[in-house]
């Protein structure tokens, strides 16, 4: 034993970064199952490919920039799977590879790697593909028949039952509400994420859609707004991302509500079916600000409203 | 949820296996030699006869007393080594002080009483100039997961703790006393032993770091000590229960406190609470406990807030609560994933991951803005971090940076 005094915490909680990322991967299994069930084996291959490309891109970048390899923390795999599941099954392989590389390199590594990125990498990849190769992606394919539809909001014509089970056109992993809820249930029950952000986002979408979504006031279809498009997928897997959202509970609620409002506005006035994607990317920009504004005052720090609450003795 | 008193943040640490914990029985030992640190004014020579309570010099401005009776064998490197004749012959007892704060505090100074919870702050300094103290909290929470010395003390000597608490309250000017425990059995034991209406026994949470002064005040009194102030400034004094018991014993016997209960626990052959004279070698205590296991490190204080110690160069002091052997965790720091677990666990409500990043990049102004001075080095942030970052080390460093900058600006 060295004579030098070492002061550090000698017992640690067992959970590592790779455990959390592994948990996210497990929680993505129900939506993945839905993807394979409704869109065929190609969905599975695309997901595998996407995960592989993301891991390879991260490893290559870290080798080229002489950083230590971080692929074992599984975060690249999560990005790859999230990205693949948020794209339609008809996405050409080259487009998927392009999106993966954009996600890992531009979305994550250019900012400094895991934890440093401002934008959600999977959403960056998706946005890059949408802006760069829109025609390739918006070609949404229905399950079984392969007939494509290009509705502004995928699932607009689907029945409620179809929205719940997932047998309607849309992105691979985003159609089945039931299995998405199941997947998120795994994530929530394990304690990895809290409800603030997803609930904030979904309730904002629901309320705004009910109030202003229809032809006239209060005639909107709130359940449809929540269950269609990427709303559930975004609320469960994108606004619960650690790196790009605030860490405080109140901050997460505000973040979620903000993302919900922007989603509604973009859907209603933007004409883009990509409301969720751009809403969350926009909110990502505000995450550090929200976090700072919602941080509690340190112990003993006398601030506005503080004395009233804590009876600080001076 | 139980309705015990608690504070914000903190952790519920998993319960350790019983074989890593000591029970409440106390083993008495007579080490062959004791080694006491004396830095100046050594008043004995090699070969001198000393008794329990003989003044042998001064260390850190406080008188040092022999903890055993015997002969001075050696004086070197600022340590006086005394051979123990195991007879425990005592010096002439000191005169018992009157029950006034001034005399009691003077008595604390004479017997060199220090805080026995771990920090070792001179008790007289804590109590002097403490006008208007309304509350005295006697801390028996002992939140370090391996330690059980305070528990053993209360289980065996509840009346001594209560008498000590009463004496400390008198020294603080008749403050209301709260004895804070976190185990129901101790609560019952103390309640059965107390007859004084001025002394209340309260149950606090089992969260870590419940035993920290500021968290204890927040739990019991629902108040917070303002930034850059001491508990004393706002009418509260917190003292450890071992300090109270030592003070009571000293008042009874007229001898300075020279022994304490030390927990030896963790990865050792047999965990135990040992009543050891000050200056007992930690190696000797470990041998009584059948030695530390292969590959472990020895920590002074505890696994959350302690530091490594060399058993051959460490000796029991009044501030030593225990020595713990643990297997060092095999971990590697990785990048922060911004999960916020550290901030949620922080009992000081600061954001360790931000302070960690600012400290590593040397952004000193930022540290002050982030209130790094509120860090109590409890270790909760490092404990929960999934990226296994050494948050506590860097946040504690940041605290020292902010404090020294504040000193300079004065």
């Amino acid at each position: 034993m060295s004579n030098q005094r070492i002061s550090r915490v000698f017992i640690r909680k067992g959970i590592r970064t790779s455990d959390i990322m592994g948990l996210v991967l497990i929680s993505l299994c129900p939506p993945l199952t839905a993807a394979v069930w409704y869109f065929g084996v190609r969905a599975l291959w695309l997901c595998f490919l996407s995960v592989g490309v993301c891991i390879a891109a991260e490893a290559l970048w870290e080798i080229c920039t002489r950083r230590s390899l971080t692929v074992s923390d599984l975060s690249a795999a999560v990005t790859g799977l999230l990205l693949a599941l948020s794209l339609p099954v008809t996405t050409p392989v080259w487009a998927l590879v392009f999106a993966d590389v954009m996600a890992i390199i531009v979305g994550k590594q250019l900012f400094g790697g895991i934890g440093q990125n401002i934008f959600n990498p999977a959403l960056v990849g998706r946005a890059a593909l949408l802006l760069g190769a829109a025609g390739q992606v918006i070609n949404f394919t229905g399950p079984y028949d392969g007939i494509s539809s290009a509705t502004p909001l995928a699932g607009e014509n689907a029945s409620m039952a179809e929205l719940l089970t997932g047998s309607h056109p849309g992105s691979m992993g985003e159609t089945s509400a039931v299995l998405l809820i199941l997947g998120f249930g795994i994530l929530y029950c394990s304690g990895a994420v809290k409800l603030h952000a997803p609930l904030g986002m979904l309730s904002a979408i629901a309320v705004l859609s009910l109030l202003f979504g229809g032809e006239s006031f209060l005639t909107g279809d709130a359940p449809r707004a929540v269950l269609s498009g990427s709303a559930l997928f975004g609320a469960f897997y994108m606004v619960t991302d650690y790196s790009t959202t605030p860490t405080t509970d109140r901050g997460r609620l505000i973040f979620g509500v903000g993302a919900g409002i922007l989603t509604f506005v973009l859907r209603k006035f933007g004409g883009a079916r990509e409301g969720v994607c751009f809403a969350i990317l926009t909110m990502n920009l505000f995450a550090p600000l929200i976090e700072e504004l919602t941080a509690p005052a340190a112990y003993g720090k006398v601030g506005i409203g503080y004395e009233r609450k804590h009876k600080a003795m001076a | 949820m139980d309705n015990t008193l608690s504070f914000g943040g903190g952790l519920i640490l998993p319960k350790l296996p019983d074989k890593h914990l000591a029970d409440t029985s106390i083993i008495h030992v007579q080490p062959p030699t004791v080694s006491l640190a004396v830095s100046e004014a050594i008043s004995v020579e090699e070969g001198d006869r000393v008794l329990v309570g003989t003044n042998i010099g001064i260390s850190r401005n406080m008188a040092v007393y022999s903890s055993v009776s015997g002969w001075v064998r050696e004086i070197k490197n600022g340590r006086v080594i005394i051979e123990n004749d195991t007879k425990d012959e005592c010096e002439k007892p000191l005169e018992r002080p009157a029950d006034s704060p001034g005399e009691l505090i003077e008595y604390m100074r004479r017997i060199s009483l220090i805080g026995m919870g771990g920090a070792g702050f001179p008790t007289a300094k804590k109590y002097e100039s403490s006008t208007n103290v309304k509350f005295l909290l006697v801390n028996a929470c002992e939140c370090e997961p391996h330690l059980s010395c305070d528990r053993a003390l209360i289980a065996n000597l509840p009346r001594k703790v209560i008498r000590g608490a009463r004496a400390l309250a008198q020294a603080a000017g008749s403050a209301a006393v709260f004895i804070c425990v976190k185990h129901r059995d101790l609560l019952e034991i103390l309640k059965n032993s107390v007859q004084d209406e001025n002394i209340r026994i309260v149950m606090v949470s089992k969260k870590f770091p419940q035993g920290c002064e500021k968290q204890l005040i927040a739990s019991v009194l629902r108040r917070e000590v303002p930034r850059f102030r001491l508990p004393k400034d706002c009418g509260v004094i917190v003292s450890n229960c071992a300090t109270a018991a030592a003070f009571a014993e000293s008042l009874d016997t007229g001898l300075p406190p020279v022994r304490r209960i030390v927990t030896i626990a963790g990865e050792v052959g047999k965990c135990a609470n040992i009543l050891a004279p000050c200056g007992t070698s930690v190696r000797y205590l470990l041998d009584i406990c059948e030695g530390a296991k292969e590959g472990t490190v020895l920590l002074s204080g505890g696994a959350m807030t302690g530091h490594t110690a060399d058993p051959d160069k460490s000796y029991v002091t009044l501030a030593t609560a225990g020595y713990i052997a643990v297997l060092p965790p095999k971990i590697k720091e990785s990048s922060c994933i911004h999960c916020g677990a550290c901030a949620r666990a922080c009992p000081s409500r600061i954001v360790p991951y931000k302070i960690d990043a600012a400290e590593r990049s040397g952004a000193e102004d930022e540290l002050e803005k982030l209130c790094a001075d509120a860090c109590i080095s409890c270790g909760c942030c490092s404990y929960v971090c999934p990226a296994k970052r050494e948050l506590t080390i860097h946040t504690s460093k940041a605290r020292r940076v902010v404090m020294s900058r504040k000193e300079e600006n004065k």
Side-chain angles (χ1 to χ4, degrees), chain A residues 1 3-8 10-13 15-17 115 242 245 247 252 291 297 299-300 306 313, chain B residues 214 223-227 303 307-309 313 329 336-339 344 348-349 353 382-383 386 388 390:
Chain A
M1 193 194 302
N3 287 335
Q4 207 192 340
R5 258 192 189 197
I6 305 168
S7 267
R8 52 181 278 221
F10 278 86
I11 47 175
R12 302 294 180 100
K13 203 171 178 178
I15 293 171
R16 293 161 302 169
T17 302
Y242 288 152
T245 62
T247 57
R252 285 172 177 172
E291 176 166 326
Y299 181 108
Y306 173 83
M313 304 177 287
Chain B
K214 288 177 169 178
R223 292 167 192 202
E224 293 193 355
V225 183
R227 207 178 167 195
H307 55 79
T308 55
K313 289 180 188 155
C336 169
I337 58 167
H338 197 263
C339 64
R344 276 189 290 283
S348 294
R349 297 193 302 266
Y353 84 86
S382 286
Y383 177 84
K388 308 298 165 205
E390 298 290 359

Side-chain angles (χ1 to χ4, degrees), chain A residues 208-227:
Chain A
L208 287 175
S209 302
L210 177 70
L211 294 181
F212 310 110
E215 299 291 310
S216 57
F217 189 66
L218 261 177
T219 58
D221 188 349
R224 182 172 297 274
V226 168
L227 295 177

Side-chain angles (χ1 to χ4, degrees), chain B residues 390-402:
Chain B
E390 298 290 359
L391 296 169
T392 310
I393 292 179
H394 290 278
T395 313
S396 310
K397 228 189 253 175
R399 172 180 183 275
R400 290 194 289 276
V401 169
V402 175

Side-chain angles (χ1 to χ4, degrees), chain A residues 13-105:
Chain A
K13 203 171 178 178
I15 293 171
R16 293 161 302 169
T17 302
S18 53
D19 298 329
I20 297 172
M21 295 301 164
L23 199 73
V24 178
L25 287 179
I26 292 170
S27 76
L28 279 167
C29 284
L32 179 62
T33 315
V36 179
W37 180 262
Y38 290 118
F39 299 101
V41 186
R42 185 183 155 88
L44 192 62
W45 294 134
L46 284 178
C47 288
F48 277 140
L49 176 74
S50 178
V51 168
V53 171
C54 280
I55 290 175
E58 179 152 301
L60 260 178
W61 174 271
E62 282 168 348
I63 289 166
C64 292
T65 56
R66 302 197 180 162
R67 289 157 165 264
S68 53
L69 274 183
T70 61
V71 289
S72 62
D73 66 22
L74 298 179
S75 62
V78 168
T79 302
L81 190 53
L82 281 175
L83 181 53
L85 288 176
S86 70
L87 295 174
V89 74
T90 49
T91 310
V93 168
W94 65 263
L96 182 65
V97 172
F98 167 74
D100 285 336
V101 173
M102 290 300 277
I104 291 296
I105 305 300

